[in-house]
Amino acid sequence: MDNRLRHLAGLRYFEAAARHCNYSKAASELCISQAAVSQKIRQLEETLECKLFIRQGREMILTDKGKTLYGEIKKGFEHIISGLNQIQSEPIEGLISVSCPPSFASRWLLPRLWKFSALHPGIPIKINSTCDSPDLRHGHVDLAIVQGDKLEEDVELTRQTLIEEKIYAYCSPQLAKSMNLSDPEQIQRCWLVHYGVESISWQKWFKAAMWKSILTKYSGWRSKHLRWR
């Protein structure tokens, strides 16, 4: 067997650090110190005689060789987890761990859970209210409710849309009056409040609003032109 496999522990630390792009978060997940993660990865780099990370601000960015190694290790760990899942059976009834944002948990989910509990009294439910993206591959979450498209695309998941909401742009009446707002393009000159979800961005809103404005103007011109004729 390849002698380099004696560094399997270091590869585990490397995988966590590469996934988080952060030694501290990797250490927290592995329940060890940040210094231990740093030391293990440094030993791994010395053994492989190549640099795996470079520091960029507070993040640790993978080098090209680091990206190659991470891709293969990721596949390897997924195969191991798949094998473990095949030989282990879970009971039909057990704890269900649900991850969702705090506001969604308190205002939508919790008022409705009694229906599930009434139908399945033997299944306890644990609610983990957090705004962070759930780690469905390495964490202990059975069901995740998220806003937008936060989940990893390469994870084999069953997905279902619960709610579709319309997005509106709001401003104070004083601001609207002072700028004499009449066209979506004018809003780009305002100070914009950004929401931290990629699927809800000003760029997408402006694109949709501009097309709607163009179609509205075209529709009005066409109607006027047809009446004139």
Side-chain angles (χ1 to χ4, degrees):
M1 185 174 290
D2 196 314
N3 192 42
R4 290 172 296 180
L5 291 181
R6 71 183 188 274
H7 297 287
L8 277 175
L11 293 176
R12 183 177 174 225
Y13 295 166
F14 167 77
E15 188 277 337
R19 178 161 33 88
H20 291 292
C21 295
N22 187 286
Y23 285 4
S24 295
K25 291 182 180 180
S28 178
E29 177 185 310
L30 298 169
C31 299
I32 58 175
S33 67
Q34 179 181 344
V37 173
S38 179
Q39 182 182 10
K40 282 290 185 181
I41 292 178
R42 187 166 57 252
Q43 291 174 352
L44 185 63
E45 289 177 330
E46 291 174 355
T47 301
L48 300 177
E49 297 182 350
C50 66
K51 197 72 174 173
L52 300 174
F53 288 97
I54 56 174
R55 180 173 292 280
Q56 191 173 88
R58 294 185 178 181
E59 292 189 339
M60 301 301 296
I61 307 300
L62 287 168
T63 62
D64 290 340
K65 291 185 177 180
K67 291 177 182 178
T68 300
L69 181 61
Y70 174 59
E72 297 304 319
I73 288 177
K74 182 179 177 183
K75 293 177 186 177
F77 283 176
E78 286 176 351
H79 284 305
I80 293 173
I81 292 172
S82 176
L84 293 173
N85 290 339
Q86 291 178 33
I87 65 172
Q88 289 181 313
S89 58
E90 296 183 357
I92 296 177
E93 294 188 351
L95 175 70
I96 295 181
S97 179
V98 181
S99 172
C100 65
S103 58
F104 186 89
S106 61
R107 303 188 64 178
W108 193 93
L109 182 59
L110 291 177
R112 292 169 171 78
L113 275 183
W114 67 270
K115 297 180 181 179
F116 180 88
S117 298
L119 293 173
H120 308 280
I123 303 179
I125 301 174
K126 177 184 177 182
I127 305 297
N128 178 29
S129 58
T130 176
C131 293
D132 296 332
S133 299
D135 187 352
L136 294 173
R137 183 184 289 110
H138 303 90
H140 303 283
V141 176
D142 301 305
L143 177 66
I145 302 173
V146 299
Q147 185 178 26
D149 303 318
K150 290 183 179 180
L151 298 181
E152 300 178 54
E153 294 297 330
D154 60 339
V155 181
E156 294 182 0
L157 301 172
T158 299
R159 301 170 184 242
Q160 182 173 348
T161 301
L162 293 180
I163 299 172
E164 289 186 351
E165 57 182 347
K166 293 183 179 179
I167 305 300
Y168 299 93
Y170 288 91
C171 73
S172 68
Q174 294 85 352
L175 176 62
K177 185 177 180 180
S178 65
M179 295 197 64
N180 192 24
L181 293 178
S182 59
D183 190 273
E185 188 175 359
Q186 293 175 275
I187 303 176
Q188 299 187 65
R189 298 196 296 270
C190 299
W191 285 359
L192 304 177
V193 178
H194 294 270
Y195 190 66
V197 177
E198 186 176 346
S199 59
I200 304 174
S201 66
W202 279 109
Q203 183 179 3
K204 292 183 178 180
W205 186 89
F206 279 124
K207 185 177 181 181
M210 293 301 182
W211 272 110
K212 185 176 181 180
S213 178
I214 291 171
L215 290 174
T216 300
K217 290 179 181 178
Y218 172 74
S219 178
W221 174 85
R222 186 170 181 271
S223 176
K224 181 179 179 181
H225 186 65
L226 289 175
R227 286 199 303 269
W228 179 78
R229 291 182 64 184

Short mmCIF file of all heavy atoms in Angstrom, two decimals, residues 126-184:
data_model
loop_
_atom_site.label_atom_id
_atom_site.label_comp_id
_atom_site.label_asym_id
_atom_site.label_seq_id
_atom_site.Cartn_x
_atom_site.Cartn_y
_atom_site.Cartn_z
N LYS A 126 -36.11 17.80 16.09
CA LYS A 126 -35.16 18.80 16.60
C LYS A 126 -35.04 19.92 15.58
O LYS A 126 -34.71 19.68 14.42
CB LYS A 126 -33.79 18.16 16.84
CG LYS A 126 -32.72 19.15 17.29
CD LYS A 126 -31.37 18.47 17.42
CE LYS A 126 -30.28 19.46 17.81
NZ LYS A 126 -28.94 18.81 17.88
N ILE A 127 -35.32 21.15 16.00
CA ILE A 127 -35.24 22.32 15.12
C ILE A 127 -33.94 23.06 15.38
O ILE A 127 -33.65 23.47 16.49
CB ILE A 127 -36.42 23.28 15.34
CG1 ILE A 127 -37.75 22.54 15.17
CG2 ILE A 127 -36.33 24.44 14.36
CD1 ILE A 127 -37.98 21.97 13.80
N ASN A 128 -33.14 23.20 14.33
CA ASN A 128 -31.90 23.98 14.41
C ASN A 128 -32.10 25.26 13.62
O ASN A 128 -32.02 25.27 12.40
CB ASN A 128 -30.73 23.16 13.84
CG ASN A 128 -29.43 23.93 13.87
OD1 ASN A 128 -29.25 24.80 14.73
ND2 ASN A 128 -28.54 23.64 12.95
N SER A 129 -32.42 26.35 14.34
CA SER A 129 -32.69 27.62 13.67
C SER A 129 -31.38 28.38 13.44
O SER A 129 -30.72 28.79 14.39
CB SER A 129 -33.66 28.47 14.49
OG SER A 129 -33.16 28.70 15.78
N THR A 130 -31.01 28.53 12.19
CA THR A 130 -29.76 29.20 11.82
C THR A 130 -29.89 29.79 10.43
O THR A 130 -30.65 29.29 9.60
CB THR A 130 -28.58 28.21 11.86
OG1 THR A 130 -27.40 28.86 11.41
CG2 THR A 130 -28.84 27.00 10.97
N CYS A 131 -29.13 30.85 10.20
CA CYS A 131 -29.10 31.48 8.87
C CYS A 131 -27.95 30.94 8.02
O CYS A 131 -27.80 31.31 6.86
CB CYS A 131 -28.99 33.00 9.00
SG CYS A 131 -30.44 33.78 9.73
N ASP A 132 -27.09 30.09 8.61
CA ASP A 132 -25.96 29.52 7.88
C ASP A 132 -26.43 28.40 6.96
O ASP A 132 -27.44 27.73 7.23
CB ASP A 132 -24.92 28.97 8.85
CG ASP A 132 -24.30 30.06 9.71
OD1 ASP A 132 -24.25 31.21 9.23
OD2 ASP A 132 -23.91 29.77 10.86
N SER A 133 -25.69 28.19 5.88
CA SER A 133 -26.00 27.10 4.97
C SER A 133 -25.73 25.76 5.65
O SER A 133 -24.66 25.57 6.22
CB SER A 133 -25.16 27.21 3.69
OG SER A 133 -25.44 28.42 3.02
N PRO A 134 -26.68 24.82 5.62
CA PRO A 134 -26.48 23.54 6.30
C PRO A 134 -25.46 22.67 5.58
O PRO A 134 -25.35 22.70 4.36
CB PRO A 134 -27.87 22.91 6.26
CG PRO A 134 -28.51 23.49 5.03
CD PRO A 134 -27.98 24.91 4.95
N ASP A 135 -24.69 21.91 6.36
CA ASP A 135 -23.72 20.97 5.80
C ASP A 135 -24.40 19.60 5.73
O ASP A 135 -24.33 18.81 6.66
CB ASP A 135 -22.47 20.92 6.69
CG ASP A 135 -21.37 20.08 6.07
OD1 ASP A 135 -21.63 19.45 5.03
OD2 ASP A 135 -20.26 20.05 6.62
N LEU A 136 -25.06 19.33 4.62
CA LEU A 136 -25.86 18.11 4.50
C LEU A 136 -25.00 16.88 4.31
O LEU A 136 -25.44 15.77 4.58
CB LEU A 136 -26.84 18.25 3.34
CG LEU A 136 -27.93 19.32 3.53
CD1 LEU A 136 -28.73 19.50 2.26
CD2 LEU A 136 -28.85 18.93 4.67
N ARG A 137 -23.77 17.07 3.83
CA ARG A 137 -22.91 15.91 3.60
C ARG A 137 -22.23 15.45 4.88
O ARG A 137 -22.11 14.26 5.14
CB ARG A 137 -21.86 16.22 2.53
CG ARG A 137 -20.99 15.00 2.20
CD ARG A 137 -19.90 15.34 1.21
NE ARG A 137 -20.44 15.58 -0.12
CZ ARG A 137 -20.48 16.76 -0.70
NH1 ARG A 137 -20.03 17.83 -0.07
NH2 ARG A 137 -20.97 16.90 -1.91
N HIS A 138 -21.77 16.40 5.70
CA HIS A 138 -20.98 16.03 6.87
C HIS A 138 -21.69 16.35 8.18
O HIS A 138 -21.21 15.98 9.25
CB HIS A 138 -19.63 16.77 6.84
CG HIS A 138 -18.83 16.50 5.61
ND1 HIS A 138 -18.95 17.28 4.47
CD2 HIS A 138 -17.93 15.53 5.32
CE1 HIS A 138 -18.13 16.81 3.54
NE2 HIS A 138 -17.50 15.76 4.02
N GLY A 139 -22.80 17.05 8.13
CA GLY A 139 -23.50 17.41 9.35
C GLY A 139 -24.52 16.37 9.76
O GLY A 139 -24.52 15.22 9.29
N HIS A 140 -25.42 16.76 10.67
CA HIS A 140 -26.42 15.84 11.19
C HIS A 140 -27.82 16.39 10.91
O HIS A 140 -28.71 16.30 11.76
CB HIS A 140 -26.22 15.64 12.69
CG HIS A 140 -24.85 15.14 13.05
ND1 HIS A 140 -24.48 13.82 12.88
CD2 HIS A 140 -23.75 15.77 13.52
CE1 HIS A 140 -23.23 13.66 13.27
NE2 HIS A 140 -22.76 14.84 13.65
N VAL A 141 -28.01 16.94 9.71
CA VAL A 141 -29.29 17.52 9.33
C VAL A 141 -30.00 16.57 8.37
O VAL A 141 -29.43 16.12 7.38
CB VAL A 141 -29.09 18.90 8.67
CG1 VAL A 141 -30.43 19.46 8.19
CG2 VAL A 141 -28.43 19.87 9.63
N ASP A 142 -31.26 16.25 8.67
CA ASP A 142 -32.06 15.39 7.80
C ASP A 142 -32.85 16.19 6.78
O ASP A 142 -33.07 15.75 5.66
CB ASP A 142 -33.04 14.55 8.63
CG ASP A 142 -32.33 13.67 9.65
OD1 ASP A 142 -31.45 12.90 9.23
OD2 ASP A 142 -32.64 13.76 10.85
N LEU A 143 -33.29 17.37 7.20
CA LEU A 143 -34.14 18.20 6.35
C LEU A 143 -33.71 19.66 6.49
O LEU A 143 -33.56 20.15 7.61
CB LEU A 143 -35.60 18.04 6.77
CG LEU A 143 -36.64 18.90 6.05
CD1 LEU A 143 -36.73 18.50 4.58
CD2 LEU A 143 -38.00 18.75 6.72
N ALA A 144 -33.49 20.33 5.38
CA ALA A 144 -33.06 21.73 5.40
C ALA A 144 -34.06 22.58 4.63
O ALA A 144 -34.45 22.24 3.52
CB ALA A 144 -31.67 21.88 4.79
N ILE A 145 -34.49 23.67 5.26
CA ILE A 145 -35.36 24.64 4.61
C ILE A 145 -34.55 25.92 4.46
O ILE A 145 -34.14 26.52 5.44
CB ILE A 145 -36.63 24.90 5.45
CG1 ILE A 145 -37.39 23.59 5.67
CG2 ILE A 145 -37.53 25.92 4.76
CD1 ILE A 145 -38.56 23.71 6.62
N VAL A 146 -34.30 26.32 3.22
CA VAL A 146 -33.43 27.46 2.97
C VAL A 146 -34.13 28.43 2.03
O VAL A 146 -35.06 28.07 1.31
CB VAL A 146 -32.08 27.03 2.35
CG1 VAL A 146 -31.33 26.12 3.29
CG2 VAL A 146 -32.30 26.35 1.01
N GLN A 147 -33.67 29.67 2.05
CA GLN A 147 -34.18 30.69 1.15
C GLN A 147 -33.20 30.88 0.02
O GLN A 147 -32.00 31.05 0.24
CB GLN A 147 -34.39 32.01 1.89
CG GLN A 147 -35.03 33.09 1.03
CD GLN A 147 -35.28 34.36 1.82
OE1 GLN A 147 -34.59 34.62 2.80
NE2 GLN A 147 -36.25 35.15 1.41
N GLY A 148 -33.69 30.84 -1.21
CA GLY A 148 -32.80 30.99 -2.35
C GLY A 148 -32.18 29.67 -2.74
O GLY A 148 -32.74 28.60 -2.51
N ASP A 149 -30.98 29.74 -3.34
CA ASP A 149 -30.28 28.55 -3.84
C ASP A 149 -28.98 28.35 -3.09
O ASP A 149 -27.90 28.41 -3.67
CB ASP A 149 -30.00 28.68 -5.34
CG ASP A 149 -31.28 28.90 -6.13
OD1 ASP A 149 -32.27 28.24 -5.81
OD2 ASP A 149 -31.28 29.73 -7.05
N LYS A 150 -29.05 28.11 -1.79
CA LYS A 150 -27.85 27.98 -0.98
C LYS A 150 -27.24 26.58 -1.04
O LYS A 150 -26.08 26.39 -0.76
CB LYS A 150 -28.15 28.31 0.49
CG LYS A 150 -28.46 29.77 0.76
CD LYS A 150 -28.65 29.98 2.25
CE LYS A 150 -28.92 31.43 2.57
NZ LYS A 150 -29.12 31.64 4.03
N LEU A 151 -28.04 25.57 -1.35
CA LEU A 151 -27.56 24.20 -1.26
C LEU A 151 -26.60 23.86 -2.39
O LEU A 151 -26.72 24.38 -3.50
CB LEU A 151 -28.74 23.23 -1.28
CG LEU A 151 -29.73 23.38 -0.12
CD1 LEU A 151 -30.85 22.36 -0.25
CD2 LEU A 151 -29.03 23.22 1.22
N GLU A 152 -25.67 22.97 -2.12
CA GLU A 152 -24.69 22.56 -3.12
C GLU A 152 -25.37 21.82 -4.25
O GLU A 152 -26.24 20.98 -4.04
CB GLU A 152 -23.64 21.65 -2.47
CG GLU A 152 -22.86 22.31 -1.34
CD GLU A 152 -21.89 21.34 -0.71
OE1 GLU A 152 -21.08 20.75 -1.44
OE2 GLU A 152 -21.96 21.15 0.51
N GLU A 153 -24.94 22.11 -5.48
CA GLU A 153 -25.56 21.50 -6.64
C GLU A 153 -25.18 20.04 -6.83
O GLU A 153 -25.90 19.28 -7.43
CB GLU A 153 -25.19 22.30 -7.91
CG GLU A 153 -25.77 23.71 -7.94
CD GLU A 153 -27.28 23.73 -7.96
OE1 GLU A 153 -27.88 22.79 -8.50
OE2 GLU A 153 -27.86 24.69 -7.43
N ASP A 154 -24.00 19.64 -6.30
CA ASP A 154 -23.52 18.29 -6.55
C ASP A 154 -24.04 17.28 -5.53
O ASP A 154 -23.74 16.11 -5.60
CB ASP A 154 -21.99 18.26 -6.57
CG ASP A 154 -21.40 18.72 -5.25
OD1 ASP A 154 -22.10 19.41 -4.50
OD2 ASP A 154 -20.23 18.37 -4.98
N VAL A 155 -24.82 17.73 -4.56
CA VAL A 155 -25.36 16.81 -3.57
C VAL A 155 -26.66 16.23 -4.10
O VAL A 155 -27.52 16.95 -4.59
CB VAL A 155 -25.62 17.54 -2.23
CG1 VAL A 155 -26.17 16.57 -1.19
CG2 VAL A 155 -24.34 18.18 -1.73
N GLU A 156 -26.79 14.91 -4.02
CA GLU A 156 -28.01 14.26 -4.49
C GLU A 156 -29.10 14.45 -3.44
O GLU A 156 -29.12 13.80 -2.41
CB GLU A 156 -27.74 12.78 -4.75
CG GLU A 156 -26.77 12.54 -5.89
CD GLU A 156 -26.57 11.06 -6.16
OE1 GLU A 156 -27.20 10.25 -5.46
OE2 GLU A 156 -25.79 10.73 -7.06
N LEU A 157 -30.02 15.36 -3.72
CA LEU A 157 -31.05 15.71 -2.76
C LEU A 157 -32.42 15.67 -3.42
O LEU A 157 -32.56 15.82 -4.63
CB LEU A 157 -30.82 17.13 -2.22
CG LEU A 157 -29.50 17.41 -1.51
CD1 LEU A 157 -29.38 18.90 -1.22
CD2 LEU A 157 -29.43 16.63 -0.21
N THR A 158 -33.43 15.44 -2.60
CA THR A 158 -34.80 15.60 -3.04
C THR A 158 -35.22 17.02 -2.69
O THR A 158 -35.20 17.42 -1.53
CB THR A 158 -35.73 14.60 -2.33
OG1 THR A 158 -35.31 13.27 -2.64
CG2 THR A 158 -37.17 14.80 -2.78
N ARG A 159 -35.57 17.80 -3.70
CA ARG A 159 -35.88 19.22 -3.50
C ARG A 159 -37.35 19.48 -3.79
O ARG A 159 -37.93 18.87 -4.70
CB ARG A 159 -35.02 20.10 -4.41
CG ARG A 159 -33.53 19.95 -4.19
CD ARG A 159 -32.78 20.67 -5.28
NE ARG A 159 -31.34 20.45 -5.13
CZ ARG A 159 -30.46 21.41 -4.92
NH1 ARG A 159 -30.86 22.66 -4.84
NH2 ARG A 159 -29.18 21.14 -4.81
N GLN A 160 -37.93 20.38 -3.04
CA GLN A 160 -39.31 20.78 -3.27
C GLN A 160 -39.49 22.24 -2.87
O GLN A 160 -39.04 22.65 -1.81
CB GLN A 160 -40.27 19.90 -2.46
CG GLN A 160 -41.74 20.23 -2.70
CD GLN A 160 -42.67 19.25 -2.02
OE1 GLN A 160 -42.26 18.21 -1.55
NE2 GLN A 160 -43.95 19.60 -1.96
N THR A 161 -40.13 23.00 -3.74
CA THR A 161 -40.39 24.41 -3.46
C THR A 161 -41.57 24.52 -2.51
O THR A 161 -42.66 24.00 -2.79
CB THR A 161 -40.68 25.19 -4.75
OG1 THR A 161 -39.56 25.07 -5.64
CG2 THR A 161 -40.93 26.65 -4.46
N LEU A 162 -41.39 25.20 -1.39
CA LEU A 162 -42.46 25.39 -0.41
C LEU A 162 -43.25 26.65 -0.69
O LEU A 162 -44.48 26.64 -0.70
CB LEU A 162 -41.87 25.45 1.00
CG LEU A 162 -41.24 24.18 1.57
CD1 LEU A 162 -40.72 24.45 2.97
CD2 LEU A 162 -42.24 23.04 1.59
N ILE A 163 -42.54 27.75 -0.89
CA ILE A 163 -43.19 29.05 -1.04
C ILE A 163 -42.46 29.86 -2.11
O ILE A 163 -41.24 29.88 -2.14
CB ILE A 163 -43.16 29.85 0.29
CG1 ILE A 163 -43.91 29.09 1.39
CG2 ILE A 163 -43.78 31.23 0.10
CD1 ILE A 163 -43.76 29.72 2.76
N GLU A 164 -43.21 30.50 -2.97
CA GLU A 164 -42.65 31.45 -3.92
C GLU A 164 -43.17 32.84 -3.56
O GLU A 164 -44.39 33.04 -3.45
CB GLU A 164 -43.04 31.10 -5.36
CG GLU A 164 -42.35 29.84 -5.88
CD GLU A 164 -42.65 29.60 -7.35
OE1 GLU A 164 -43.52 30.32 -7.89
OE2 GLU A 164 -42.04 28.69 -7.94
N GLU A 165 -42.27 33.78 -3.32
CA GLU A 165 -42.69 35.11 -2.91
C GLU A 165 -42.27 36.15 -3.94
O GLU A 165 -41.24 36.02 -4.58
CB GLU A 165 -42.09 35.45 -1.54
CG GLU A 165 -40.58 35.37 -1.48
CD GLU A 165 -40.05 35.68 -0.10
OE1 GLU A 165 -40.83 36.19 0.73
OE2 GLU A 165 -38.86 35.42 0.15
N LYS A 166 -43.10 37.18 -4.06
CA LYS A 166 -42.79 38.28 -4.96
C LYS A 166 -41.86 39.26 -4.25
O LYS A 166 -41.98 39.48 -3.05
CB LYS A 166 -44.08 38.99 -5.39
CG LYS A 166 -44.98 38.13 -6.25
CD LYS A 166 -46.22 38.91 -6.70
CE LYS A 166 -47.11 38.06 -7.59
NZ LYS A 166 -48.33 38.81 -8.03
N ILE A 167 -40.94 39.83 -4.99
CA ILE A 167 -39.97 40.77 -4.45
C ILE A 167 -40.30 42.18 -4.95
O ILE A 167 -40.47 42.40 -6.15
CB ILE A 167 -38.53 40.39 -4.87
CG1 ILE A 167 -38.22 38.94 -4.47
CG2 ILE A 167 -37.52 41.34 -4.26
CD1 ILE A 167 -38.33 38.69 -2.98
N TYR A 168 -40.40 43.10 -4.01
CA TYR A 168 -40.70 44.49 -4.35
C TYR A 168 -39.58 45.40 -3.84
O TYR A 168 -38.93 45.09 -2.84
CB TYR A 168 -42.03 44.93 -3.72
CG TYR A 168 -43.24 44.15 -4.19
CD1 TYR A 168 -43.67 43.04 -3.46
CD2 TYR A 168 -43.93 44.51 -5.33
CE1 TYR A 168 -44.78 42.31 -3.87
CE2 TYR A 168 -45.03 43.79 -5.75
CZ TYR A 168 -45.45 42.69 -5.02
OH TYR A 168 -46.55 41.97 -5.44
N ALA A 169 -39.40 46.51 -4.53
CA ALA A 169 -38.46 47.53 -4.07
C ALA A 169 -39.24 48.60 -3.31
O ALA A 169 -40.28 49.06 -3.78
CB ALA A 169 -37.74 48.15 -5.27
N TYR A 170 -38.76 48.95 -2.12
CA TYR A 170 -39.43 49.95 -1.28
C TYR A 170 -38.50 51.12 -1.02
O TYR A 170 -37.29 50.95 -0.93
CB TYR A 170 -39.85 49.34 0.06
CG TYR A 170 -41.03 48.37 -0.03
CD1 TYR A 170 -40.82 47.02 -0.24
CD2 TYR A 170 -42.33 48.85 0.08
CE1 TYR A 170 -41.88 46.14 -0.33
CE2 TYR A 170 -43.40 47.98 0.00
CZ TYR A 170 -43.18 46.63 -0.21
OH TYR A 170 -44.24 45.77 -0.29
N CYS A 171 -39.08 52.30 -0.87
CA CYS A 171 -38.32 53.46 -0.43
C CYS A 171 -39.27 54.39 0.32
O CYS A 171 -40.50 54.26 0.24
CB CYS A 171 -37.65 54.18 -1.59
SG CYS A 171 -38.80 55.09 -2.64
N SER A 172 -38.72 55.33 1.05
CA SER A 172 -39.54 56.26 1.82
C SER A 172 -40.24 57.23 0.87
O SER A 172 -39.71 57.56 -0.20
CB SER A 172 -38.68 57.04 2.81
OG SER A 172 -37.81 57.90 2.11
N PRO A 173 -41.43 57.72 1.24
CA PRO A 173 -42.13 58.71 0.39
C PRO A 173 -41.30 59.97 0.18
O PRO A 173 -41.34 60.57 -0.90
CB PRO A 173 -43.40 59.01 1.19
CG PRO A 173 -43.61 57.81 2.07
CD PRO A 173 -42.23 57.31 2.41
N GLN A 174 -40.50 60.34 1.21
CA GLN A 174 -39.68 61.54 1.07
C GLN A 174 -38.63 61.37 -0.02
O GLN A 174 -38.37 62.29 -0.82
CB GLN A 174 -39.00 61.88 2.41
CG GLN A 174 -39.97 62.29 3.51
CD GLN A 174 -40.55 61.09 4.25
OE1 GLN A 174 -40.35 59.96 3.84
NE2 GLN A 174 -41.29 61.35 5.32
N LEU A 175 -38.01 60.17 -0.06
CA LEU A 175 -37.00 59.91 -1.08
C LEU A 175 -37.62 59.89 -2.47
O LEU A 175 -37.09 60.47 -3.42
CB LEU A 175 -36.29 58.59 -0.81
CG LEU A 175 -35.27 58.14 -1.85
CD1 LEU A 175 -34.14 59.15 -1.95
CD2 LEU A 175 -34.73 56.76 -1.52
N ALA A 176 -38.76 59.22 -2.60
CA ALA A 176 -39.43 59.14 -3.90
C ALA A 176 -39.82 60.53 -4.40
O ALA A 176 -39.69 60.84 -5.58
CB ALA A 176 -40.66 58.25 -3.78
N LYS A 177 -40.26 61.39 -3.48
CA LYS A 177 -40.66 62.74 -3.87
C LYS A 177 -39.46 63.58 -4.25
O LYS A 177 -39.49 64.34 -5.23
CB LYS A 177 -41.42 63.39 -2.72
CG LYS A 177 -41.99 64.76 -3.07
CD LYS A 177 -42.80 65.32 -1.90
CE LYS A 177 -43.36 66.70 -2.24
NZ LYS A 177 -44.16 67.25 -1.10
N SER A 178 -38.37 63.46 -3.48
CA SER A 178 -37.20 64.29 -3.75
C SER A 178 -36.53 63.93 -5.07
O SER A 178 -35.96 64.78 -5.74
CB SER A 178 -36.19 64.14 -2.60
OG SER A 178 -35.68 62.80 -2.55
N MET A 179 -36.60 62.64 -5.46
CA MET A 179 -35.97 62.21 -6.71
C MET A 179 -36.95 62.18 -7.87
O MET A 179 -36.56 61.90 -9.01
CB MET A 179 -35.34 60.81 -6.53
CG MET A 179 -34.19 60.77 -5.54
SD MET A 179 -33.19 59.29 -5.73
CE MET A 179 -32.52 59.51 -7.37
N ASN A 180 -38.24 62.42 -7.55
CA ASN A 180 -39.27 62.39 -8.60
C ASN A 180 -39.20 61.08 -9.37
O ASN A 180 -39.10 61.06 -10.61
CB ASN A 180 -39.11 63.59 -9.54
CG ASN A 180 -40.33 63.76 -10.45
OD1 ASN A 180 -41.43 63.32 -10.12
ND2 ASN A 180 -40.12 64.39 -11.59
N LEU A 181 -39.24 59.98 -8.64
CA LEU A 181 -39.07 58.66 -9.24
C LEU A 181 -40.19 58.33 -10.21
O LEU A 181 -41.37 58.42 -9.86
CB LEU A 181 -39.01 57.59 -8.15
CG LEU A 181 -37.79 57.62 -7.23
CD1 LEU A 181 -37.88 56.53 -6.17
CD2 LEU A 181 -36.50 57.48 -8.02
N SER A 182 -39.82 57.97 -11.43
CA SER A 182 -40.81 57.60 -12.43
C SER A 182 -40.34 56.43 -13.29
O SER A 182 -41.11 55.91 -14.10
CB SER A 182 -41.12 58.80 -13.34
OG SER A 182 -39.93 59.25 -13.99
N ASP A 183 -39.07 56.02 -13.11
CA ASP A 183 -38.49 54.95 -13.94
C ASP A 183 -37.54 54.12 -13.09
O ASP A 183 -36.80 54.68 -12.25
CB ASP A 183 -37.73 55.56 -15.13
CG ASP A 183 -37.34 54.49 -16.14
OD1 ASP A 183 -36.26 53.89 -15.96
OD2 ASP A 183 -38.11 54.26 -17.08
N PRO A 184 -37.52 52.77 -13.25
CA PRO A 184 -36.63 51.92 -12.44
C PRO A 184 -35.16 52.31 -12.54
O PRO A 184 -34.40 52.13 -11.59
CB PRO A 184 -36.86 50.52 -13.02
CG PRO A 184 -38.22 50.58 -13.63
CD PRO A 184 -38.37 51.97 -14.13
#
